[in-house]
Amino acid sequence: MYHSSEVFHSFSKVIVLREGHLFFFGTVEQLSSQLNKFGHGCPSEYNLADHVMFLLMTQQETKIATLEGSLRLEYESNGTPAKGEAPAERAEDEDLGTAAGFCTQLLALSRREASSVWRDKPGLIASVLIPLILNLFFAFIFFQVGDTSQDNYDSQSHFGAIAQVAISGMFGAAQPLLLRFPLDRGIFLREYSTCTYGALPYSLSKSMVELPQSLLNSIIIWGSCHIIMGLHGNFIDYVLIFWITGMAASSVALLVGSIAANAEVANQAAPAIFVPQLLFAGFFIKIDNVPVFLRWVQYICALKYGMNLFLLNEFGEDARKDWPAEDQMMAERFITTNEVEPGHRWLYVAILIAIVIVVRAISLFVLAKRASSFF
């Protein structure tokens, strides 16, 4: 423990533990005044934190027990907790072995996760600027590629523009989640072992902070390229499809990261996540050209369902109704050769949502299992 006097006096609350039991809970000022009140005041030339540690290590057991009882009575006589104090903090004085409630855990963990994101200013700025710059770059490479009135219009390039945004979005959503648990493993295992919180609130808090971040990322990406590329699909549909597809891809990455023994293993497992997604989403080979005995793999690839929805949004009947007849036929061919059923739009959405829920539930189970078997 680092007992810097300046840092110690900046604490809003102090918890002193003795042999696993609560010795004191309150403000720094209360600690100082109550120790002084019961005959163990901190000398003016001493650091209060060091004084308390020295007191607990050197005083006789009977004196420490008496002081602990006096501090407990003093705390109880002060009435209700201070404004903003969590109920669980007071409950610990009465029953240290009782963990905080689920909602308290979830709220505290969500606040911690959000604070961690907010404090990392360079990372926060990069999470906005990098997708913006990268997709503006893509947008100008595919400048007005969706304008069917141009003499040099090419349907394959039109499809390629959407594919490029989808691929970069998948990598951007999945890569951070791949390393999230391997990097947080030590903190999670230590705090889980002391019943500070459960695996479910821990996992949900990560998702609650991730959801608005990924939605903002989707808005930034499609806001930077939709008009410049000259796409026809509905902008809001693009954002929502991209959002849920990214969440599905990141869920698989989270599962792999939860299973992996460390960050290096998680990184080495990345191809197992990304390569099948690319091969079965229709970028490099049409689904009807894939051997029949391997086509089933497409049904567990989130990017495939995302691309199905992108194709319906950009090349569906509503989007292509004003196109030249030849281009309408080409758009229809994109849809049929990728085995996309226009009537299954909501089925594809449901499957993506199911992938998010089921895969994250499996990740939660793996986290809890690893933590319980570790100790």
Side-chain angles (χ1 to χ4, degrees):
M1 179 179 177
Y2 182 62
H3 296 153
S4 166
S5 180
E6 181 180 355
V7 173
F8 183 74
H9 281 82
S10 69
F11 293 165
S12 59
K13 289 289 192 323
V14 175
I15 295 178
V16 181
L17 298 177
R18 171 179 170 267
E19 297 181 353
H21 298 284
L22 185 67
F23 178 79
F24 172 84
F25 174 73
T27 65
V28 175
E29 292 76 12
Q30 287 172 338
L31 176 62
S32 178
S33 63
Q34 290 177 25
L35 286 176
N36 186 63
K37 177 178 179 179
F38 298 115
H40 295 281
C42 178
S44 58
E45 68 274 14
Y46 274 50
N47 180 341
L48 179 59
D50 288 334
H51 172 68
V52 173
M53 295 298 103
F54 182 77
L55 186 68
L56 294 178
M57 289 187 292
T58 60
Q59 289 294 320
Q60 295 179 358
E61 182 71 22
T62 54
K63 290 185 178 181
I64 295 299
T66 300
L67 177 59
E68 181 179 340
S70 299
L71 293 175
R72 184 185 300 274
L73 289 172
E74 185 74 11
Y75 175 78
E76 291 174 351
S77 66
N78 285 336
T80 58
K83 183 178 181 181
E85 182 178 322
E89 294 172 338
R90 190 179 183 190
E92 283 184 351
D93 187 51
E94 300 169 358
D95 183 3
L96 190 64
T98 302
F102 174 81
C103 292
T104 301
Q105 294 179 33
L106 181 59
L107 181 60
L109 288 167
S110 298
R111 285 177 175 172
R112 185 176 75 173
E113 184 71 14
S115 296
S116 177
V117 172
W118 181 252
R119 287 171 183 165
D120 183 14
K121 293 297 192 298
L124 190 61
I125 294 171
S127 69
V128 173
L129 287 183
I130 291 178
L132 176 63
I133 294 171
L134 186 62
N135 283 277
L136 279 174
F137 178 67
F138 294 153
F140 283 108
I141 288 179
F142 293 98
F143 182 75
Q144 293 300 302
V145 72
D147 186 356
T148 57
S149 64
Q150 294 188 21
D151 294 336
N152 61 346
Y153 170 77
D154 177 60
S155 58
Q156 190 62 46
S157 298
H158 189 173
F159 172 76
I162 301 170
Q164 181 59 55
V165 177
I167 291 173
S168 66
M170 179 190 67
F171 278 94
Q175 281 285 11
L177 272 293
L178 192 62
L179 300 177
R180 174 166 290 179
F181 182 69
L183 295 177
D184 289 350
R185 183 187 305 277
I187 296 174
F188 171 74
L189 292 177
R190 182 174 66 251
E191 294 176 342
Y192 183 89
S193 68
T194 57
C195 297
T196 305
Y197 51 75
L200 179 57
Y202 171 81
S203 180
L204 286 179
S205 68
K206 298 284 187 183
S207 298
M208 287 176 64
V209 175
E210 179 193 355
L211 280 169
Q213 280 188 287
S214 59
L215 178 59
L216 176 62
N217 185 262
S218 298
I219 295 172
I220 291 171
I221 288 174
W222 286 104
S224 61
C225 64
H226 185 267
I227 295 176
I228 298 175
M229 286 182 174
L231 301 180
H232 302 269
N234 183 275
F235 173 78
I236 295 177
D237 286 352
Y238 268 129
V239 169
L240 295 178
I241 295 167
F242 191 89
W243 183 33
I244 189 63
T245 304
M247 289 296 297
S250 65
S251 298
V252 177
L254 183 63
L255 175 59
V256 173
S258 301
I259 296 172
N262 51 54
E264 183 179 355
V265 173
N267 266 328
Q268 292 174 348
I273 303 172
F274 301 126
V275 173
Q277 303 274 352
L278 299 177
L279 291 177
F280 288 91
F283 304 137
F284 305 111
I285 184 171
K286 301 302 180 185
I287 295 299
D288 55 6
N289 290 335
V290 175
V292 175
F293 67 91
L294 285 176
R295 291 183 191 176
W296 64 269
V297 179
Q298 66 178 303
Y299 301 117
I300 60 173
C301 294
L303 189 59
K304 165 61 179 173
Y305 298 105
M307 279 306 302
N308 287 356
L309 292 167
F310 283 141
L311 286 171
L312 291 175
N313 192 36
E314 184 66 22
F315 297 104
E317 290 186 6
D318 292 338
R320 68 172 190 259
K321 59 185 178 182
D322 297 326
W323 296 9
E326 182 181 352
D327 296 327
Q328 289 200 40
M329 292 176 60
M330 183 62 70
E332 179 64 25
R333 193 174 300 121
F334 275 128
I335 293 175
T336 55
T337 55
N338 282 283
E339 297 185 356
V340 180
E341 294 290 340
H344 291 172
R345 185 187 301 264
W346 288 107
L347 175 62
Y348 300 146
V349 173
I351 292 173
L352 286 172
I353 294 174
I355 290 174
V356 173
I357 295 173
V358 172
V359 174
R360 290 188 181 237
I362 297 173
S363 300
L364 172 63
F365 173 78
V366 172
L367 285 179
K369 189 70 175 177
R370 289 177 70 90
S372 61
S373 63
F374 186 81
F375 295 95

